[in-house]
Structure formats: C-alpha cells, structure tokens
Amino acid sequence: MTPFKLTDELIAEINLLIAENNAGALLDMMSDLHYADIAEIVHELDDVEAVYLIKLLDSETTSDVLAELDEDVRETILRKLSAKEIADELLELDTDDAADIIGELPKERVSEIISQIEDREHARDIVDLLRYDEGTAGSLMAKELVKVNENWSVLTCVKEMRAQAENVRRVHSIYVVDDEDKLKGRLSLKDLLTTSTRTAIKDVYIPKVDYVSVNDEAEEVEKIMSKYDLEAIPVIDELGRLVGRITIDDIVDFIKDEAEKDYQLAAGITQDVEADDSIWELTKARLPWLLIGMLGGLGAASIIGGFQDVLTQYQALVLFIPLIQATAGNVGVQSSAIVVQGLANDTIKGELWGRLLKEGLLGLVNGLAIALIVLLISHFAFGTTYFESATICVALVSVVIIAALIGTFIPIFLDKRGIDPAVATGPFITTSNDVFGILIYFLIAKMILGF
Amino acid sequence: MTPFKLTDELIAEINLLIAENNAGALLDMMSDLHYADIAEIVHELDDVEAVYLIKLLDSETTSDVLAELDEDVRETILRKLSAKEIADELLELDTDDAADIIGELPKERVSEIISQIEDREHARDIVDLLRYDEGTAGSLMAKELVKVNENWSVLTCVKEMRAQAENVRRVHSIYVVDDEDKLKGRLSLKDLLTTSTRTAIKDVYIPKVDYVSVNDEAEEVEKIMSKYDLEAIPVIDELGRLVGRITIDDIVDFIKDEAEKDYQLAAGITQDVEADDSIWELTKARLPWLLIGMLGGLGAASIIGGFQDVLTQYQALVLFIPLIQATAGNVGVQSSAIVVQGLANDTIKGELWGRLLKEGLLGLVNGLAIALIVLLISHFAFGTTYFESATICVALVSVVIIAALIGTFIPIFLDKRGIDPAVATGPFITTSNDVFGILIYFLIAKMILGF
C-alpha cells in the first residue's frame, strides 16, 4: 500500500481549487482519501478554507474528519457551524467521539446542540457520557455495543444482533446480560460462526468476562487490556449494569498520549505541545522548568560563594565543577527514569530500603569506574596535586551514590503521596542533584584539604 | 473486576505447595488464573520451581505462559525442556508467537524442534516466519487468517470459514484473494452478519483494503494501524500474495516497547533494562552514557583552564558556572525532545532554516526572561559589578539560543543521515551543551571585560 503522503504540492493544489470554488474537483479528490488523511489536510488549511472544505463533504465524512482533528483546529471550525449543523454531525459519530467533541464547547452551546440532535436516544447517550471525569473508564467508553439477554434463544439473539450491529462500527464481543441488564458474560463471534443456531444462550455463553467499572482509572483499563490482549472491554456501572464498552483503538491513542506526556515531562516540557505550536505556547510549556533550573543555578552560586576560601587556595578545584555537576545530573536522571518506568509497569516491588541499597551499590560501581579514569586524567593532564585528585575522586564517587539515591527516592516518595512521579524526572532531578553535587564537592574538599 | 494482584503471600503459598509437591492444590489455584497472571508468578519463582509449575500445567496453558515470559526467564525454562516438549508447546501457539520463541534458540536446537512438530503445515509456517528481519512487518505477522476465494459463493465461503476459524484465535476480517492467492479485498464480519448467504463473494467484497508488505518497517505498520484505527492488517509478499496478518495486540506491545526505549534513551540508558535487572546489566546500560558526560566534564575543565586569567581577576564569574551549564543542558534537552517527537510523528515539516529561526526566537524570549531575573539577583544578592552582571546576562541569552539551536539541529541532522534521532537526546545533548555553554560564557567574559 502506498501510504498517503501530505505534500506541499497537494496543499497548493487544494488551495487553488478552493480559491477557484471548484467543488467538483475537490470532492473527486477527497472521495479517494481516508478521513484521517483529510484531517491531515485540514490542519494545513486556513480557517476559511477549512470550513469551506468541511461543508463540502458529506455528513458522514465530515463527522469522522471532525473527530480526528486537533482540539484547537476543531474549535475554530465548530465556531463557524450552526448548532443544527453540529448536531447533525454528532448523529453520525459514535457516542464516545461525539462526547469528546461536545465536551470542549461552552455549556450553553452544548445544551443548544443536544436539543437539536434528532435521535433522542443518541442524545441521551452523549449527555450520559459527559458526566464522567476525564481519565476514567467512563470517559473513554462508547455506548454502542451488542448485547443479548441470557434468556433468549440463539435464534432471537441473532435477529436482535443484526439490528443492533447496524449501529455498531465494529462488533468485538457480544455481551450477555440478565433481565436487570447486569453483565453476565460474553459470546464470541467465532463461537457464533461455529455454533448451531438452535442452542440456547444460557447454555453457550462464557461466564468469565473481563470488565471494568465506570470509575476505574484509564491507566488501569489500559493495563488490563494490554496484559490480557483484549480488543474491547465492557464497562459496568455501580450497580453492575452494562453501560458501555472501551475499544482498543481508544487505548492505543491513550497509550501514545501518555507516552508523549511522560517523555515531555522528562525533558522539562509541560502541557501537550508540538514543534509547530506558537512561540507563546512553547514558552509557557518550557520556561517554568528553566526557571527551576535557574533557581538551582543560583543556589549553586551561593554554595560556591560560601566556599571562597577553599577556591582561593585550591584553584584547580574550579575546573572540575562542571564535571561534578554533569555527573550528578546524568546519574539522577538515569535512576529516576528507571524508577518512574518501574512504577508505571508495576515492576517495582519489594521494600524501599532494598531498592536504595541496590542503587547505592550501582552508584558505587559506576562512581569508582568514573573516578579512576578522572584520577589519571586530572593528575597527568591537569597537574592536580595528590590531595586535589583525592578530593575530586572521593567527591565523584559520593556524588554518584547520592544522586542515584535521590533519583530513586523522590519518584517513589511522590508516588506514595499520590503525585505522578513522572514530574520528578528531567530538570527537577537534574537541578536538585546539581545543587547537592556541588555542596558535597566542597564539603569533601574542606574535609580532605583540611580547613 | 478485581484485577489479579501478585502478593508476597501468594508467592510464599506457591513456594510451599511446590515444596510439598501438592500438584492438586497448585492446579486448582492456576485454573482460576489467566495465563498472563501465571507468567507473572513464574517470573517470581526460581528455575526449578518454574519448570515444575510449567510441566504441571496443561499444554495449552503452558504455551500461552511461555509466550508471555521475559526472554531470559523463558530461555532458562526452555533449556530444561526436551525438543519434543517444546515442539508440542509450539503446536498450541499462533505462528507468530511460536516463531518469536524459537527465534531466540541456537540454530541446531531450532532444527531439532522443528522436525518434531507434528503438524507439518504449522512447522512450515513457523520456519517461513523465521526468515524475516526483526523490525519488519514480516517479523510481526502471523500466518493464521481467514481467507476466501473471490470466485466462491457465500455458501461455500461460510463453510470454508468455519473450518479456517478453528485455527484462528480471533477473526477480524475475512480476506478475499484471487486464484493466485493475490489479495483482492475484504469482507467484514459485520457484513457477514447482515448479508444474505445467497450472495456471491465477488459481488459483496470491499475492494478497498489497507495492507502492508512483508518488508515494510514495523514503525510504518504501527503508524498506518494507529492512524486508520485498524485492528488487523493483511501482509502481502513481493508478488502481492496474501501471506499473513498483523493484529493490534502485537502493535500495542510494539508501541509500548518503543516508547520505553525512547524514554530510556532520553535518560541515558541503552538496552532494555528494568529496575529489577542485575547491577551488572544496569551498569552496562548506564555507564557508557556517564562516560560521555565525563568526557564533556573534562572538556569543560580544559576550557576553564584556558581562561585562568579571566577567573583570577573576576572571581565572581566562577559562581555562575553551574547556572550557565544547567541552563544550557535544560534548554538543549527541551529542544531536542520536541524535535525527536515531531520527527517520530511526522509533524516536522518545512525547512530546517525556518525551524532553527523559530527555536532561535524562542531561545531569545526564554533567555531574556531568565537573564532579567538573574541580572537583578546577581547584582543585589551577589554584589557583582555592572560589567560582571552584563557578562553573565549576555552569556545566558547567548547560551540559551545556541543550546536551542544545537538541540534542534542535531536530531534533524541524525534523522537525515538515517540514524535514530532519539540517541541524541539526554546526556548526549546535555554534554555537548555543557561544553559549548561554558566556552561561550568565557568568550563573552573576555569580550566584555576586555582582555
């Protein structure tokens, strides 16, 4: 398959066709494209062009394109559509996508749009989904699913399913409920293919079924679905009633978003920014972390200021400030990254003390390796005295060990307090280790060089 | 659902049951558990216990557990099983999982095991999969799929499908091929549910089908499947023949693995290590990056050594070495992380120069903000002279801009050369920026303070 490729030429051609008001040629071009590709194109158009193109497409395509767009682009477009137009688009979408789109709009607008949705059941389902907090299973689920009553015969079941399947894009499992709508089990489509139609549902359904609760955390849902290789999972409410299902494509998006967020946090970037965002957006996401680093740098400056006497007498020590600082920062980031990942994967078990001991040992090994090399180089290349070399090496080993301990302790501590440990990687750890590293360096210098 | 929770008590109980050779109670306990949970338990057992438990389970469960285990644990267990025993396990697995397991073993062992697999077609399929390079679509695919000939009637098709579906864990799509086995299109299960059985395949199949080629990169497959929300994608060979399919659960694993690898690379950790790996494994993954940082630190030491004259006269400049260095490192990591992510998502478009200009501007804004604060603090809290303050501030702004440019340029440069830009984040960027930052600081000091 030749994947769709967005080129400057293609965009130029579309710009031209829009300028010429050549609806026919545009529709021709779009009819060959997947809605995800059209969404990519819309991202490259200006507001007026985007609305022109969106209004040109048939309602089903438009709704799918809208669901794919980035929030900010979608907001601009929705502002130019009437409540009735938006209501018609929502009708074409699955309830989860519809709820995501409408959830971003101002409250009065939402009521206006909801009141215009023709299919009242669909409208009720969307309103129902708006109740759930972001980051819960309820906020990820869709109301579309295929369910059958355990008291039905397979024949009734197949008939009912055919009707229900019309509203469901993809049938994963057929869920079995009792008369009170409580989830009892599932029927697999494969079983359906290979089972005689005369069998009774009660006798064929699989009573073992994985499920999550509306209030479970999205992260928990992701872990269950990945671990057990599920493509869909039913969601029950507080009373055990089947209220929705979450499909793997939503989980794929969730995993990718979370991975991006963690990666950015580790690099000292808050908010979900992209390279193409405005300088103002990027500054908001980056400057706060730089200011943390600045405070650390000023802290280090005061520490060095406090040890002027050492520096005046042993000027060679100045040379190795960057080495101490860089090593402390690097070790801290390594330790914290491993712990943050371990916490995310639930592979951090056992006691805190055992883990700290192990990190300490690891620090000792790495610290000694580095110190040995630095010992030789500092002595022969920089002509430091024995005492100065000793200071640098003892400081290096200590700094590596302490940086490893800090990098291990802080994420675990935050996690226990219910704070996302991912914030404690990157600049945060680097900065605290910079300051501690330099303090340790000069304290050891004072001890060894005898003040 | 109460998710399975691995506790120390549970492991202690299992240890005891194994020691008592209480097979009945163990099997009872395991029968309630999912194979993924049993795999978690096996990871906590010692070799002898693990083999005992594995041999106790029925062949289907054992094979699924084996497929879930970490490579190193699996290797230990496989070494204690005979070729025949392994062959019987492989028979129970899908071809892709079987190929993954057998692919790790020494060549002679592989031939021995393959020759013992009873189902010769299954054996041929596994051997076929071993041919593909890691990281290609061929290495991710399984041979199990449901395919029908375009010349069949729906009746023949349903009959054939029932037979084929027996060998396929999950039926996603029914692929349609011609007499030469070339992929023509697909039938959806939903269509099958809602279409009369008298229709001819030729008249109902959907000729538009996404597919990938055996040699396409896994990353490309991931992008197509996530973008178009596919749960399975057919794979064709060089002649256009349908040879396998890739399912979304394999892609979920791939996405998670890649995200972990990138996160670790950004933190200066190579290889796929976990918090519970040995100190030796962890050292191998971490020390090389610390040595890069060490070289940078020594480089910085030589630079400072070259500016002894400046330092002797303006001692206050020493205080701000950590600040300059920390800021340079933080900015570099931020810039490179954004670029690396943009490259991974294909959102980095347009010219290199435009991007560098934007990063330069962003650096100017952030740099000025930081410099202003430092100007006030250095003057009032540290009593630096006007010229010293000017030096520090001009250096800060320059360092931020240059660090941003380096952080942007290096990943793009590596990407153009075909090198994974993710290696250029973390310690690599921090180190180069440390060195450049300090060099710039002293060069500017020389200029402003007039040497």
Side-chain angles (χ1 to χ4, degrees):
Chain A
M1 157 186 196
T2 5
F4 167 77
K5 188 92 191 120
L6 190 64
T7 59
D8 290 346
E9 290 75 41
L10 183 67
I11 296 297
E13 198 183 331
I14 291 169
N15 288 335
L16 192 70
L17 289 175
I18 293 175
E20 286 173 350
N21 196 7
N22 191 340
L26 272 170
L27 274 177
D28 245 22
M29 187 187 267
M30 294 304 142
S31 68
D32 286 339
L33 296 178
H34 189 279
Y35 58 77
D37 299 325
I38 300 180
E40 274 191 8
I41 292 172
V42 171
H43 281 134
E44 302 298 314
L45 302 178
D46 67 33
D47 299 359
V48 180
E49 289 175 329
V51 173
Y52 178 92
L53 186 61
I54 286 280
K55 289 203 171 183
L56 207 60
L57 300 168
D58 65 83
S59 187
E60 200 188 323
T61 313
T62 303
S63 56
D64 286 332
V65 171
L66 282 177
E68 287 287 319
L69 289 176
D70 283 350
E71 248 175 71
D72 48 337
V73 177
R74 184 162 55 214
E75 215 186 292
T76 321
I77 293 175
L78 290 185
R79 223 176 288 134
K80 307 213 169 153
L81 297 182
S82 71
K84 178 74 186 120
E85 280 169 322
I86 297 176
D88 288 345
E89 299 305 340
L90 296 186
L91 201 56
E92 303 280 345
L93 286 174
D94 279 351
T95 45
D96 56 340
D97 290 331
D100 284 348
I101 290 181
I102 210 172
E104 301 156 8
L105 301 174
K107 277 209 177 123
E108 328 69 269
R109 194 96 207 272
V110 171
S111 336
E112 197 187 342
I113 294 167
I114 291 284
S115 70
Q116 304 254 9
I117 295 178
E118 273 166 30
D119 180 341
R120 293 319 292 161
E121 197 191 329
H122 195 65
R124 266 194 304 277
D125 283 346
I126 295 172
V127 170
D128 189 39
L129 288 180
L130 290 176
R131 288 193 299 126
Y132 300 105
D133 291 334
E134 206 169 323
T136 62
S139 75
L140 280 179
M141 74 183 185
K143 305 291 280 187
E144 286 81 5
L145 49 78
V146 177
K147 69 178 173 190
V148 298
N149 191 302
E150 56 172 347
N151 297 318
W152 292 350
S153 73
V154 170
L155 205 71
T156 330
C157 160
V158 169
K159 233 188 290 168
E160 280 286 332
M161 270 172 50
R162 285 192 183 206
Q164 293 182 23
E166 288 291 333
N167 297 317
V168 180
R169 289 195 186 209
R170 284 174 197 151
V171 179
H172 289 90
S173 267
I174 300 126
Y175 300 115
V176 181
V177 294
D178 65 11
D179 289 335
E180 284 170 341
D181 235 16
K182 281 192 187 153
L183 180 67
K184 302 290 285 183
R186 65 186 166 89
L187 280 172
S188 80
L189 267 176
K190 197 182 129 185
D191 292 339
L192 207 85
L193 273 175
T194 51
T195 303
S196 144
T197 46
R198 276 160 304 206
T199 331
I201 295 291
K202 243 188 192 138
D203 301 330
V204 289
Y205 84 79
I206 308 155
K208 214 176 144 89
V209 58
D210 295 306
Y211 59 86
V212 290
S213 217
V214 278
N215 296 318
D216 284 350
E217 278 180 34
E219 214 168 290
E220 207 47 52
V221 180
E222 183 272 303
K223 272 185 202 165
I224 292 172
M225 291 186 74
S226 327
K227 180 172 169 190
Y228 300 132
D229 286 347
L230 306 176
E231 286 171 0
I233 195 164
V235 185
I236 60 167
D237 68 6
E238 292 83 351
L239 299 173
R241 291 177 306 191
L242 177 64
V243 288
R245 63 151 188 187
I246 297 172
T247 50
I248 188 71
D249 52 324
D250 295 320
I251 293 300
V252 167
D253 292 343
F254 177 79
I255 295 173
K256 292 179 85 167
D257 285 351
E258 288 297 299
E260 288 216 346
K261 231 168 53 188
D262 283 354
Y263 189 82
Q264 293 199 339
L265 268 182
I269 304 168
T270 30
Q271 303 176 329
D272 187 21
V273 289
E274 277 174 33
D276 280 326
D277 285 344
S278 70
I279 290 190
W280 169 237
E281 290 289 332
L282 286 165
T283 300
K284 271 200 299 183
R286 292 167 60 164
L287 189 56
W289 294 96
L290 296 180
L291 293 177
I292 291 178
M294 182 202 71
L295 289 179
L298 291 173
S302 334
I303 292 172
I304 299 176
F307 288 94
Q308 282 294 7
D309 48 344
V310 187
L311 276 183
T312 321
Q313 207 169 332
Y314 299 95
Q315 288 195 11
L317 292 184
V318 170
L319 306 182
F320 298 96
I321 290 177
L323 172 65
I324 297 283
Q325 184 182 349
T327 309
N330 288 340
V331 169
V333 168
Q334 287 181 334
S335 300
S336 62
I338 286 228
V339 171
V340 166
Q341 270 194 336
L343 288 170
N345 297 338
D346 283 335
T347 56
I348 296 274
K349 294 176 209 98
E351 279 182 88
L352 178 61
W353 295 113
R355 186 147 308 277
L356 288 176
L357 184 70
K358 184 175 175 186
E359 269 297 318
L361 271 173
L362 185 66
L364 185 67
V365 172
N366 286 343
L368 283 175
I370 297 171
L372 195 72
I373 303 174
V374 170
L375 181 71
L376 296 172
I377 295 178
S378 68
H379 190 70
F380 290 107
F382 293 95
T384 51
T385 66
Y386 285 115
F387 279 113
E388 284 168 344
S389 297
T391 300
I392 295 159
C393 290
V394 173
L396 263 178
V397 176
S398 320
V399 159
V400 170
I401 293 174
I402 289 170
L405 295 180
I406 293 177
T408 305
F409 178 76
I410 293 185
I412 293 181
F413 173 79
L414 290 180
D415 188 58
K416 288 212 168 138
R417 292 269 164 144
I419 303 170
D420 180 2
V423 301
T425 47
F428 186 85
I429 285 287
T430 319
T431 301
S432 32
N433 280 338
D434 281 1
V435 177
F436 273 102
I438 284 168
L439 181 63
I440 291 162
Y441 182 43
F442 283 104
L443 285 176
I444 287 173
K446 268 215 149 160
M447 274 192 285
I448 292 184
L449 302 172
F451 276 76
Chain B
M1 158 187 196
T2 7
F4 168 76
K5 188 94 190 120
L6 190 63
T7 59
D8 290 347
E9 290 75 42
L10 183 68
I11 295 297
E13 196 182 335
I14 291 170
N15 288 334
L16 192 70
L17 289 174
I18 294 176
E20 286 173 350
N21 197 8
N22 191 341
L26 272 170
L27 274 177
D28 245 23
M29 186 187 268
M30 295 303 141
S31 69
D32 286 338
L33 297 177
H34 189 278
Y35 58 78
D37 299 324
I38 301 179
E40 273 191 8
I41 292 172
V42 170
H43 281 133
E44 302 300 314
L45 303 178
D46 69 32
D47 299 359
V48 180
E49 289 176 329
V51 173
Y52 177 92
L53 187 62
I54 286 280
K55 288 202 172 183
L56 206 61
L57 301 168
D58 64 83
S59 187
E60 201 188 321
T61 314
T62 303
S63 56
D64 286 333
V65 171
L66 282 177
E68 287 286 320
L69 289 176
D70 283 351
E71 248 175 69
D72 47 338
V73 177
R74 183 162 57 213
E75 217 186 290
T76 321
I77 293 174
L78 290 184
R79 223 177 285 134
K80 307 216 168 152
L81 298 181
S82 71
K84 178 75 186 120
E85 281 170 323
I86 298 176
D88 288 345
E89 298 306 340
L90 296 186
L91 201 57
E92 303 280 348
L93 285 175
D94 279 353
T95 46
D96 56 341
D97 290 330
D100 284 347
I101 290 182
I102 210 174
E104 300 157 9
L105 301 174
K107 277 211 176 120
E108 324 75 86
R109 193 98 206 270
V110 172
S111 337
E112 199 187 338
I113 293 167
I114 291 283
S115 71
Q116 305 255 7
I117 295 178
E118 273 167 29
D119 179 341
R120 293 319 292 161
E121 198 191 327
H122 196 65
R124 267 194 303 277
D125 282 346
I126 296 172
V127 171
D128 188 39
L129 289 181
L130 290 175
R131 289 192 299 124
Y132 300 105
D133 291 335
E134 203 169 322
T136 62
S139 74
L140 279 179
M141 74 182 181
K143 305 291 281 187
E144 285 83 4
L145 48 80
V146 177
K147 69 178 174 189
V148 298
N149 191 301
E150 57 170 347
N151 297 317
W152 291 349
S153 74
V154 169
L155 204 70
T156 329
C157 162
V158 169
K159 232 188 292 168
E160 279 286 333
M161 269 173 49
R162 288 195 181 204
Q164 292 182 25
E166 288 291 335
N167 297 316
V168 179
R169 289 195 186 208
R170 284 175 197 150
V171 179
H172 290 90
S173 267
I174 301 126
Y175 300 116
V176 180
V177 295
D178 65 12
D179 288 335
E180 284 170 341
D181 234 13
K182 281 193 187 151
L183 179 67
K184 301 290 285 186
R186 65 187 166 89
L187 280 172
S188 79
L189 267 176
K190 195 182 129 183
D191 292 339
L192 207 85
L193 272 175
T194 49
T195 305
S196 144
T197 47
R198 276 161 302 211
T199 332
I201 296 289
K202 244 187 189 136
D203 301 329
V204 289
Y205 84 78
I206 308 154
K208 212 175 147 90
V209 58
D210 295 306
Y211 59 86
V212 290
S213 219
V214 280
N215 296 319
D216 283 349
E217 278 181 33
E219 212 168 294
E220 206 47 53
V221 179
E222 184 272 304
K223 272 185 203 164
I224 292 172
M225 290 186 75
S226 324
K227 180 172 169 189
Y228 300 132
D229 286 347
L230 306 176
E231 285 171 2
I233 195 165
V235 185
I236 59 167
D237 69 5
E238 293 83 350
L239 299 173
R241 291 177 306 193
L242 177 63
V243 288
R245 65 153 186 185
I246 296 172
T247 50
I248 190 71
D249 52 325
D250 295 321
I251 293 300
V252 167
D253 292 342
F254 177 79
I255 294 173
K256 292 180 83 169
D257 286 351
E258 289 295 298
E260 288 216 348
K261 232 168 53 188
D262 282 355
Y263 189 83
Q264 293 200 337
L265 268 181
I269 304 169
T270 30
Q271 303 176 328
D272 187 20
V273 289
E274 277 173 33
D276 280 327
D277 286 344
S278 69
I279 291 192
W280 169 237
E281 290 289 332
L282 286 166
T283 301
K284 271 200 300 183
R286 290 167 59 163
L287 189 55
W289 295 96
L290 296 180
L291 293 177
I292 291 179
M294 183 201 71
L295 288 179
L298 292 172
S302 337
I303 292 172
I304 299 177
F307 289 95
Q308 281 295 8
D309 47 345
V310 187
L311 276 183
T312 322
Q313 207 167 334
Y314 299 96
Q315 287 195 9
L317 292 184
V318 171
L319 306 182
F320 297 96
I321 291 178
L323 173 65
I324 297 283
Q325 185 181 350
T327 308
N330 288 340
V331 170
V333 168
Q334 287 181 334
S335 301
S336 63
I338 287 229
V339 172
V340 165
Q341 270 196 335
L343 288 169
N345 297 340
D346 284 337
T347 54
I348 296 274
K349 294 176 208 101
E351 277 182 273
L352 177 60
W353 295 114
R355 185 145 311 276
L356 288 176
L357 183 69
K358 183 174 174 187
E359 269 297 318
L361 272 174
L362 185 65
L364 185 66
V365 172
N366 287 341
L368 283 174
I370 296 171
L372 195 70
I373 302 174
V374 171
L375 181 69
L376 296 173
I377 295 179
S378 67
H379 190 69
F380 290 107
F382 294 93
T384 52
T385 66
Y386 285 116
F387 278 113
E388 284 167 345
S389 298
T391 300
I392 296 159
C393 291
V394 173
L396 263 176
V397 176
S398 319
V399 160
V400 170
I401 293 174
I402 289 170
L405 296 180
I406 294 177
T408 304
F409 177 76
I410 293 184
I412 294 181
F413 174 79
L414 290 181
D415 187 61
K416 288 213 167 134
R417 291 271 163 138
I419 301 170
D420 180 2
V423 301
T425 47
F428 187 85
I429 285 287
T430 319
T431 302
S432 31
N433 281 339
D434 282 359
V435 177
F436 273 102
I438 285 169
L439 181 62
I440 292 162
Y441 182 42
F442 283 103
L443 284 178
I444 286 173
K446 268 214 149 162
M447 275 192 287
I448 292 184
L449 302 172
F451 276 76

